């Protein structure tokens, strides 16, 4: 079963060794955070990760965490994406400390589409008490139920999801997710372990 991994700017540069580990672990897609980070993190990190994945022959998508990228940050984040590489941009909608209005979310979607990208939504049922119906958009859902499948508790008009984050750092079917691990070696170890888990699941 194909897998994906998502990376933030703070995960560090992608090396050939890392990319080899991704591919050996059946990872075929990488979702890179498009972020304009604070010092001392370089703004070029997003570009390095995207181009490294492209050069390795991997599909590349991006995500924008809307808490620290709204409103002007959406434009800055999109400007970091090299032309002709990323096909889809996921809008990460989950921050309860700075909730986005429906109008703000609709504007963010419009900005991404105007830049030429398709839009997906990353969110969770516990965060989504809104009227805006985005069920025609692909859903990447966070539901920590430990079940390695695409079953989830329906919400927001969605009756299916494209990706599911089923534990804090893993998901299945284009949904392997990685949070809070800045060391490349640590991530590689997790990927090797996940490859064994996927093989066992069949």
């Amino acid at each position: 079963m194909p897998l994906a991994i998502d990376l933030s700017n703070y995960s560090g540069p992608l090396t050939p060794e890392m990319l080899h580990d991704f591919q050996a672990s059946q990872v075929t897609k990488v979702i890179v955070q498009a972020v304009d980070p604070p010092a001392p993190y370089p703004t070029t990190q997003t570009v390095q990760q995207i181009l490294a994945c492209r050069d390795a022959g991997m599909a590349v998508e991006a995500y924008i965490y809307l808490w620290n990228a709204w409103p002007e940050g959406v434009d800055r984040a999109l400007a970091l994406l090299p032309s002709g590489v990323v096909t889809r941009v996921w809008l990460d909608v989950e921050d309860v400390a700075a909730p986005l209005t429906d109008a703000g979310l609709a504007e963010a979607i419009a900005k991404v589409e105007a830049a030429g990208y398709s839009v997906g939504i990353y969110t969770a049922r516990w965060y989504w008490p809104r009227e805006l119906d985005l069920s025609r958009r692909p859903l990447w859902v966070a539901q920590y139920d430990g079940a390695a499948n695409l079953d989830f508790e329906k919400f927001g008009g969605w009756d299916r999801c494209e990706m599911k984050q089923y534990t804090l750092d893993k998901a299945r079917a284009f949904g392997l997710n990685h949070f809070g691990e800045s060391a490349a070696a640590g991530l590689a170890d997790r990927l090797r372990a996940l490859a064994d888990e996927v093989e066992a699941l069949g």
Side-chain angles (χ1 to χ4, degrees):
M1 177 173 289
L3 297 170
I5 186 165
D6 76 289
L7 298 171
S8 76
N9 182 80
Y10 313 112
S11 300
L14 288 179
T15 65
E17 292 77 16
M18 281 283 290
L19 291 162
H20 178 270
D21 285 335
F22 291 171
Q23 293 169 322
S25 302
Q26 303 177 40
V27 172
T28 58
K29 180 189 294 184
V30 179
I31 308 172
V32 175
Q33 184 182 18
V35 62
D36 186 11
Y41 299 99
T43 57
T44 56
Q45 187 65 79
T46 294
V47 175
Q48 189 277 333
Q49 291 174 338
I50 290 173
L51 295 183
C53 292
R54 179 203 64 185
D55 293 345
M58 305 180 77
V60 187
E61 296 179 352
Y63 75 94
I64 300 175
Y65 184 45
L66 289 181
W67 175 76
N68 61 6
W70 183 256
E72 296 84 0
V74 171
D75 293 324
R76 291 198 303 270
L78 290 171
L80 294 171
L81 302 180
S83 177
V85 182
V86 172
T87 56
R88 177 181 291 165
V89 172
W90 297 88
L91 296 177
D92 186 338
V93 185
E94 60 176 318
D95 197 284
V96 295
L100 196 65
T101 65
D102 286 354
L105 181 54
E107 186 174 348
I109 291 171
K111 284 176 177 287
V112 173
E113 289 183 330
Y117 302 102
S118 65
V119 178
I121 303 296
Y122 172 82
T123 193
R125 188 179 190 279
W126 54 264
Y127 180 78
W128 197 256
R130 58 180 72 245
E131 298 299 323
L132 192 61
D133 183 2
L134 298 178
S135 57
R136 67 185 180 88
R137 308 275 180 186
L139 173 65
W140 172 7
V141 65
Q143 179 172 300
Y144 304 129
D145 57 8
N149 56 42
L150 294 179
D151 297 334
F152 71 105
E153 190 174 356
K154 307 298 189 292
F155 67 95
W158 283 290
D159 58 13
R160 63 177 299 274
C161 65
E162 181 167 327
M163 297 189 286
K164 176 184 172 185
Q165 180 184 340
Y166 66 87
T167 71
L168 184 60
D169 60 2
K170 298 175 187 174
R172 193 175 185 188
F174 290 124
L176 167 62
N177 292 284
H178 169 65
F179 294 91
E181 182 78 57
S182 60
L187 179 54
D189 288 342
R190 286 174 179 265
L191 286 168
R192 293 187 191 100
L194 182 67
D196 294 337
E197 177 185 333
V198 169
E199 183 177 355
L201 289 171

